[in-house]
Amino acid sequence: MIRIVLYEDNTKLRENLTLLIDGAQNFVVCGAFRNCDNILQQMDDLLPDVLLMDIDMPGVNGIEGLRIVRTRFPQMPILMLTVFDDNQHVFEAIKAGADGYLLKKTPPDKLLEYIQDVYDGGAPMTSSIARQVLHLFARQPSDRNEMYNLSAREKEVLQLLVNGYSYKMIASEIFISIDTVRSHIKKIYEKLHVNSKSEAVAKAFRDKLV
């Protein structure tokens, strides 16, 4: 079972999302909270596989929660589910380390697909959000002259990320374990100075790294 922790301050929506996810095969909501005030303790207690997170919450909001989680759980799949589709919220969420960004109007069946996708190492986004991300990063100052020092294997893994491969697909394609894939991706993030797959892909495009 894929264990999901949900952060959503709207009680009715939180309950409906819990019912939807619990009713699907292979998914279970192991915790649902109205904000991120105690997020690290909840991670330690519940050991989730995926976080599904709103942005606008009382107390510690989704963006702040993202930053907190990334300090201790850099590889935790985190999927934003929000009403905000403006540039600033999208940019802040991606920079903070979100692995995917969906709008709350996403159909239930697609939401379940996206949860599976982010668990498998994907970076699902609503199409309009994906366009914004590419445009936002295209306008950022380029660091292409910086020496990233990616190894040949890291460049190969980055190319597969750009091609849309999940962690499992990368492992199968180049005959390595998923743990080795995660190790390579962690090093890629460090060398590119990014916090998420979507950031890494955008930077690879912008700086012509692959």
Side-chain angles (χ1 to χ4, degrees):
M1 297 291 285
I2 297 175
R3 296 169 57 81
I4 297 160
V5 170
L6 171 64
Y7 291 91
E8 168 60 58
D9 66 311
N10 183 305
T11 301
K12 186 64 175 176
L13 180 56
R14 189 169 66 244
E15 292 173 351
N16 287 342
L17 286 169
T18 300
L19 287 172
L20 170 68
I21 295 168
D22 281 344
Q25 190 175 9
N26 298 328
F27 295 136
V28 62
V29 174
C30 59
F33 307 96
R34 66 187 300 268
N35 60 33
C36 301
D37 286 1
N38 300 301
I39 193 165
L40 288 182
Q41 185 62 55
Q42 289 154 356
M43 297 300 95
D44 289 336
D45 292 343
L46 299 172
L47 303 176
D49 298 306
V50 174
L51 299 188
L52 188 60
M53 191 177 296
D54 187 18
I55 287 181
D56 189 23
M57 295 180 285
V60 177
N61 66 30
I63 300 294
E64 294 166 339
L66 262 173
R67 295 190 181 108
I68 292 168
V69 171
R70 285 291 176 241
T71 63
R72 192 186 298 177
F73 303 96
Q75 299 295 322
M76 174 67 65
I78 302 176
L79 188 56
M80 308 307 289
L81 183 65
T82 177
V83 297
F84 295 116
D85 62 355
D86 59 282
N87 285 353
Q88 190 59 39
H89 282 96
V90 172
F91 187 69
E92 287 184 5
I94 298 302
K95 290 293 289 183
D99 294 298
Y101 197 110
L102 307 176
L103 299 181
K104 288 183 178 178
K105 61 184 179 182
T106 300
D109 58 331
K110 293 299 293 182
L111 176 60
L112 295 172
E113 287 182 23
Y114 289 143
I115 293 172
Q116 181 70 54
D117 188 14
V118 78
Y119 173 76
D120 289 336
M125 291 188 190
T126 303
S127 58
S128 61
I129 299 298
R131 284 194 298 271
Q132 284 191 53
V133 169
L134 291 176
H135 292 157
L136 284 167
F137 280 92
R139 293 199 298 267
Q140 296 303 301
S142 174
D143 297 324
R144 65 170 58 90
N145 292 323
E146 181 178 332
M147 295 298 291
Y148 292 119
N149 291 319
L150 294 175
S151 69
R153 180 63 99 182
E154 288 162 356
K155 288 180 180 178
E156 186 177 16
V157 171
L158 181 58
Q159 177 67 71
L160 293 172
L161 285 178
V162 169
N163 291 347
Y165 281 49
S166 68
Y167 288 20
K168 288 182 179 179
M169 292 167 67
I170 293 172
S172 176
E173 179 73 16
I174 59 178
F175 307 106
I176 60 176
S177 70
I178 291 181
D179 284 342
T180 302
V181 172
R182 291 195 178 100
S183 177
H184 284 314
I185 290 174
K186 181 180 179 181
K187 291 177 182 176
I188 290 169
Y189 287 2
E190 290 172 353
K191 290 182 178 181
L192 297 186
H193 309 296
V194 300
N195 298 302
S196 67
K197 179 178 177 179
S198 49
E199 267 194 285
V201 169
K203 198 161 195 176
F205 275 122
R206 189 194 69 197
D207 291 352
K208 298 179 174 61
L209 301 179
V210 295

